[in-house]
Every structure is written in C-alpha cells, then in structure tokens.
Amino acid sequence: MSGTLTVVGLGPGDPRYLTPEADTALASAQALYGYGPYLDRVAVRAGQSRHPSDNREEYARAAAALDHAARGGKVAIVSGGDPGVFAMAAAVCEAIETGPAAWRALDVAVVPGITAMLAVAARIGAPLGHDFCAVSLSDNLKPWELIERRLDAAASAGFVIALYNPVSRARPWQFSNALSRLRRHLPPSTPLVFGHAVGRPDEHVELTTLEAADGKNTDMATLVIVGSRETRVISRSGRPPLVYTQRAAEVSA
Amino acid sequence: MSGTLTVVGLGPGDPRYLTPEADTALASAQALYGYGPYLDRVAVRAGQSRHPSDNREEYARAAAALDHAARGGKVAIVSGGDPGVFAMAAAVCEAIETGPAAWRALDVAVVPGITAMLAVAARIGAPLGHDFCAVSLSDNLKPWELIERRLDAAASAGFVIALYNPVSRARPWQFSNALSRLRRHLPPSTPLVFGHAVGRPDEHVELTTLEAADGKNTDMATLVIVGSRETRVISRSGRPPLVYTQRAAEVSA
C-alpha cells in the first residue's frame, strides 16, 4: 500500500498566491480531486486524471479521494484558500476516522494556503492586527443559536471577527441576523470590510460601518471583517483608506 | 514623490512557503527592512540595501522604512508568517496614522503570507477546522486581565484557540496562567498541539492534553493550538495521530 493523499491549499485564486510547496504537490499527483471551480484553477498536466465534484459534497469527495489513494494512487485534493479553514482538511480527517481501516494507514499530508481573511486584510491594511476570530455563518452543520452565542462572546470580549460563508442561496437571512446581533455589542461606527472575490479578476473591497452595512451585495465569495473598538480608519487624500487594529488595548474595550 | 512601501509576509521560514507575489515584491525592492533573523531568510540580491533591526522595535522599524520610502525609495519591510497577524502591518499603519503627512501619501501594500497557526494545523490534520480564534499572550501592550477575559470568552463559547507568543524571557509566567484559566472551561482531555519552529529545520510538533501540558518546552517560536469539545484525535498505527475539529457542533458544546 503506497498510496498518498495530499490536501492542497490553492490560496485565494490567482497563481501569485500559490506556494511552491502547493505547486510541487499538484505537479506530482496522479489524480486531482476537488470542487469544480477550484480544480479549474489548477494547470492541466499530461498523465493526471481530474475528478471535479459539486459544492457541499465534501465528505463524498474526501471518501472518493481516500479510496483512490487506498488503491495505490498518488492523489491530491484541492481546496480554495487554506484547506484547514472551513475547507477540505477537516472533511478528509472525518472520513478517515469513520471510514475503512485502510484509510488510516495512508500517508496523508496537508499543504497550507493563504486563507481569505488574510488576503482581504492585506488589501486594506491590518484589520486582523490584534486578537481575532473566524466564524462561519453557515448553519448547515451547527445550530444558529450556537453561532449567535459565538458572535456575542467574540464581540463582547473585543475580538475582531472574520465572517466566512456569510450568505448563500439556501441561507438568505443569516448575515443580516448576525449584523443585528453584533449591533448589541459594538458601536454603530465600527468599521466593516467586505472583501469580494479577493485575488480574482472581479475582486472588490468595500469599507463601511456596522450601522450602514446591509449585506445586499454579499455572497458566498465574500469575506467580511468586523472591527473591534481598537480598529481605526486612516483617511488618505487620493488613496484608499487604510484600516488597522491597534496593537495596544485597554480592559474597558 | 514616487516612493513605495510593501510589507511582505515570508511565511513560516522555508522558501517552499514563500508565495510568488512575495518573491516578486522582494526582488523588486531597493531596500529591505526587518527583524534581523527574518531578513536573513531573504536571498541577497545585488543593488539592494539591507537594514536589520532588533525584535520589539516594530514602530521604529516601520518609521525608518516609511521615511526611506518618503525619500523616494522602493522599500520592502519583511515579516515572518503573515504581516497582518501579530506582525509588522499594524505597526506600519500605526506609524502612518501618527507620523508626518508625507507618509499618508505613500503607495503602501501588504503581501499576505502563511501564518504560523495555518502551518502548525496543516502538520497535524485540521484542528482549526471549525470556528477558531487567535490570541497573543503578550501583555506588553495590553493588560493580562484582558487576555484572561478573551480566553474565558473563547473557551466557553467553543472556539478552538491559537495562542501566539506564548512565552518569552520577559514573560515567564503568562503561559501557565493561561493554561490554568483554560482549565476552568475545558475538560482535562482537551487536545493541545505545540508547534515549534514549524517550517524550519528544527521543526517539532507535539500533541498533548490540557491536563498534561506544562509548557516547559515552549518558547517564542512555539504556536499552541487548544482544541474545543469538537476536536478529535485519530490514532494510527505506525503513523502520527491526526487531530481535527469536527464541522458539526451542538449548542451544548
């Protein structure tokens, strides 16, 4: 049994974010698995088979890739951003834990990538410059009540919050509910950064406030960063503003 | 005034983590600024000046680099990991906000990198596979009381927690105090991952539990990941264990 499975982070989209480690892992694979649009980002190489699948089929995709590796293949499964952040690496581990014993014997590796919140933060300054958290607003696998509890805890303790998966066609109301929840804890002037498709041709970054945000232009390709009381906006004439979170903080925050 | 300042994330150390975007930014700079050991990782190129500085001099380093750029230079300031996560990008923004008006007119960019928690998580599976937060244990710029409040909030709301800067020579007791604080909220069996110098030749990853952890081998090059109630350990015969956080969670968590 010499099969291997590597879970590869592609970063935000453009090849300029693809690490040499990820590029090497992709080049040496015999078979590539992944959500179709992510797989489309990977250069076509002779002798590699490609196995695209639909979104929201993470477990089935992981199982298919593990099965392929267990038959001796050198398999890569691709993930947008970082595979360990709301992406494929956890699904692969879950499949290994619950699947056939042969899957535990496989050589499994994860190759990290630039996750969306780092790319969005870099575009506008340093909004994640101090303690922060990442919350997925998808309630497909956890109850909405738990998401609200986490937003309460994070906002009231002064964390900057990166919101992944803010909305989808099947989850239309979650993001505006999250904004209402955050307004209980944070001042109306709190900076919000909306990063849409960062690292791709249709990239768009918008700065607004908790008071003004409505999320009308938010979709699955959007990552939202909610500031804390230490997050500041620097206006610059003729240049876009910079947003950053101060390194110093007080208990009153 | 045609000066530029780019804050470049080098990732965890090894060149295999350096993105093409970061490599391009380094190659095109006329002057490189940074903490000495980080600057030592950057290839020497003809015609570039190098300006190493000591640790804990972030503001002075940022000011020197901005001043150089304001005199028309094409300047890069390097950062380990991602510059936006407990690193140089916030210090640069702070200097721009408080410094001379000319600094606001500069073309400033941030190039993201693989931050330590992503590299450590990738080594052992997917411990950041669900909602998580990042907390710096350094109380140089914020009171310890605030750090405790954030640990309380994160642990009791079910976040996985990545601890940056767990100890230093000047901060010997903070990490064991943090462990005591976390034990109020989390079961003794909670998995803890210690990632030391990940991505560098002396890399070492250790899996333990909240009960057994003592932090004796922890230093400034260590990143600690504290699991949640959904974090699981998969034992594998002849291979290191995998650690991951389940995507599904319950309110009772």
Side-chain angles (χ1 to χ4, degrees):
Chain A
M1 190 79 62
S2 60
T4 63
L5 179 65
T6 308
V7 193
V8 181
L10 301 180
D14 191 277
R16 70 182 183 273
Y17 294 113
L18 190 74
T19 67
E21 185 185 36
D23 198 41
T24 300
L26 295 172
S28 63
Q30 297 165 333
L32 298 172
Y33 284 76
Y35 173 46
Y38 294 150
L39 214 46
D40 290 343
R41 294 185 196 164
V42 180
V44 173
R45 292 177 174 95
Q48 287 185 328
S49 64
R50 298 168 82 95
H51 308 265
S53 47
D54 281 347
N55 203 359
R56 298 187 60 178
E57 292 189 358
E58 290 89 355
Y59 188 92
R61 183 187 307 136
L66 284 160
D67 184 58
H68 196 140
R71 286 183 277 112
K74 196 164 183 183
V75 179
I77 186 162
V78 302
S79 201
D82 179 82
V85 177
F86 308 118
M88 283 308 300
V92 166
C93 290
E94 206 173 299
I96 290 172
E97 188 176 22
T98 56
W103 293 358
R104 291 192 188 216
L106 288 169
D107 182 3
V108 173
V110 179
V111 173
I114 305 288
T115 184
M117 65 181 167
L118 303 185
V120 171
R123 278 296 179 286
I124 201 150
L128 305 177
H130 208 64
D131 300 335
F132 63 92
C133 62
V135 177
S136 168
L137 290 189
S138 169
D139 56 352
N140 291 333
L141 293 169
K142 63 184 171 185
W144 182 253
E145 184 188 342
L146 181 59
I147 296 173
E148 287 190 335
R149 190 203 285 188
R150 290 183 180 166
L151 294 175
D152 289 345
S156 60
F159 285 97
V160 171
I161 306 172
L163 298 174
Y164 281 75
N165 308 318
V167 291
S168 75
R169 260 165 293 184
R171 297 181 291 102
W173 53 264
Q174 282 79 347
F175 182 62
S176 48
N177 273 37
L179 290 178
S180 303
R181 200 80 192 182
L182 292 167
R183 288 187 185 113
R184 296 187 186 184
H185 306 281
L186 299 169
S189 61
T190 301
L192 259 70
V193 179
F194 287 71
H196 174 80
V198 163
R200 305 207 286 280
D202 52 336
E203 166 176 329
H204 175 68
V205 177
E206 188 192 348
L207 171 64
T208 180
T209 62
L210 185 54
E211 186 174 31
D214 60 16
K216 280 203 184 103
N217 300 316
T218 307
D219 62 18
M220 279 301 279
T222 307
L223 184 288
V224 182
I225 297 177
V226 181
S228 72
R229 285 172 196 267
E230 276 80 33
T231 304
R232 301 185 56 82
V233 176
I234 311 175
S235 300
R236 300 187 298 166
S237 118
R239 296 205 178 271
L242 288 169
V243 179
Y244 80 105
T245 302
Q246 291 181 301
R247 300 169 299 155
E250 297 303 325
V251 172
S252 61
Chain B
M1 191 79 60
S2 61
T4 64
L5 178 66
T6 308
V7 193
V8 181
L10 301 179
D14 191 277
R16 72 181 182 274
Y17 294 113
L18 190 74
T19 66
E21 185 185 36
D23 198 40
T24 301
L26 295 172
S28 63
Q30 296 165 332
L32 298 172
Y33 284 75
Y35 173 47
Y38 293 150
L39 214 46
D40 290 343
R41 296 185 195 163
V42 180
V44 173
R45 292 177 173 96
Q48 287 184 329
S49 65
R50 298 170 79 95
H51 309 265
S53 46
D54 280 347
N55 204 358
R56 298 187 60 178
E57 293 189 357
E58 289 90 354
Y59 188 92
R61 182 188 307 137
L66 283 160
D67 184 58
H68 196 140
R71 285 183 278 112
K74 196 164 182 182
V75 178
I77 186 163
V78 302
S79 200
D82 178 83
V85 177
F86 308 118
M88 282 309 299
V92 166
C93 289
E94 205 174 300
I96 290 172
E97 188 177 22
T98 55
W103 292 358
R104 292 193 186 213
L106 287 170
D107 182 2
V108 174
V110 179
V111 173
I114 306 286
T115 183
M117 65 179 168
L118 302 185
V120 172
R123 279 293 181 285
I124 201 151
L128 305 178
H130 207 65
D131 301 335
F132 64 91
C133 62
V135 177
S136 168
L137 291 189
S138 169
D139 56 352
N140 291 333
L141 292 169
K142 64 185 170 185
W144 182 253
E145 184 187 341
L146 181 60
I147 296 173
E148 287 190 336
R149 190 203 286 187
R150 290 183 180 166
L151 295 175
D152 289 346
S156 59
F159 286 96
V160 171
I161 306 171
L163 299 174
Y164 281 74
N165 308 318
V167 290
S168 74
R169 260 166 293 185
R171 297 181 292 102
W173 54 263
Q174 282 80 346
F175 182 61
S176 49
N177 272 36
L179 290 177
S180 304
R181 199 80 192 184
L182 293 167
R183 288 186 185 112
R184 296 187 186 185
H185 306 281
L186 299 169
S189 61
T190 300
L192 260 70
V193 179
F194 287 72
H196 174 80
V198 163
R200 304 206 285 280
D202 52 336
E203 166 175 327
H204 176 67
V205 177
E206 188 192 348
L207 172 64
T208 181
T209 62
L210 185 54
E211 185 173 32
D214 59 16
K216 280 202 184 107
N217 300 315
T218 306
D219 62 18
M220 278 303 278
T222 306
L223 183 288
V224 182
I225 297 177
V226 180
S228 72
R229 285 172 196 267
E230 277 79 33
T231 304
R232 302 186 56 83
V233 176
I234 311 175
S235 300
R236 301 186 299 166
S237 116
R239 294 204 179 272
L242 288 170
V243 179
Y244 80 104
T245 301
Q246 292 181 299
R247 299 169 300 154
E250 298 302 325
V251 171
S252 60

